[in-house]
Structure formats: structure tokens, C-alpha cells
Amino acid sequence: MVEGLKVGDMTAGAKGTIDGPGENVRRKAGLNRVILAEGWGGLLPALEHKARCNGCGIVRVPPAYASQRCWACGVVDAESRESQAVFACTFCGHTGNADVNAAKNILAAGLAVTGRGDLAAGRSVKRQPPVTVAA
């Protein structure tokens, strides 16, 4: 499971227009340079190629609210993301590392998709088979 980030959208310019100039253009240009230099755009296709060669697959999970959703209770609140590293749910009080919290959300979303047997191309009508317990 990986977060399906849109690198092209992330590295769009911040120059703006003459009527509405952009803010922090220099900082955004520096961030874009770092993202493009690290090769984020080529990492996922390479990973998918290696996975196909080894007989497995990669599931792209929509990135929306992965870092703002509480892994424990599922509530989405931007206030819960206190800083880059700290996550503290405003609803249930769960605290932890923000990146670990987001990774658990991405894993849960990916398992929900693969459990239904589709690749998240719209809402699935397939359901996971019931678990049978031996008597």
C-alpha cells in the first residue's frame, strides 16, 4: 500500500498572476526542486514494475486526510495535527507520531480495498467473504 500522491500537482508553481501574485514563491520553488530532485515521480512506477516482476501488486490509496484522520477513532480534524511530528486527536485523546498515524490510515485504507478484490476504481459492490470459525 502506498499513498497515491500526484507529484505533478504538488510541484505546480506558486507565481500567481499580476493581479494576484503568489505567496512564498521562493520557498515553493525550493520545495519543488527538492521533490523533483528526489525522483518522487519515478519511484512509484519503478516500484510497481518490480512488484509485477515478482508476482505481487501495489495498491495506491487516495491521500485525502490520511494525516488528519485519527487511526483509533476515525475522526478527521485538522486541529489534531499539532505539528509535523505530533498527532493528538481532539475527539478521543489518542496521541502519537503523526507519520505513524498516517501510515496506519494508509494501511487500513489499502486493506479495505484489497479485501474487496478491486483496485479502488469507484465504489465496490464486492464484499469480503465471511470468516468461518471451526466449532
Side-chain angles (χ1 to χ4, degrees), residues 7 11 27-40:
V7 179
T11 57
R27 185 183 302 174
K28 178 64 175 153
L31 177 63
N32 290 349
R33 227 180 346 268
V34 170
I35 289 173
L36 294 172
E38 292 296 324
W40 288 8

Side-chain angles (χ1 to χ4, degrees), residues 50-116:
K50 288 294 184 182
R52 277 193 306 272
C53 290
N54 290 307
C56 58
I58 299 293
V59 177
R60 290 185 188 210
V61 176
Y65 306 110
S67 64
Q68 296 176 0
R69 176 176 283 118
C70 177
W71 177 76
C73 67
V75 172
V76 176
D77 186 9
E79 300 290 322
S80 295
R81 186 77 186 255
E82 290 183 358
S83 68
Q84 185 65 29
V86 178
F87 181 88
C89 182
T90 56
F91 185 74
C92 72
H94 168 75
T95 59
N97 184 291
D99 291 334
V100 172
N101 182 69
K104 287 180 179 180
N105 286 328
I106 292 167
L107 176 63
L111 290 175
V113 169
T114 58
R116 290 191 298 255

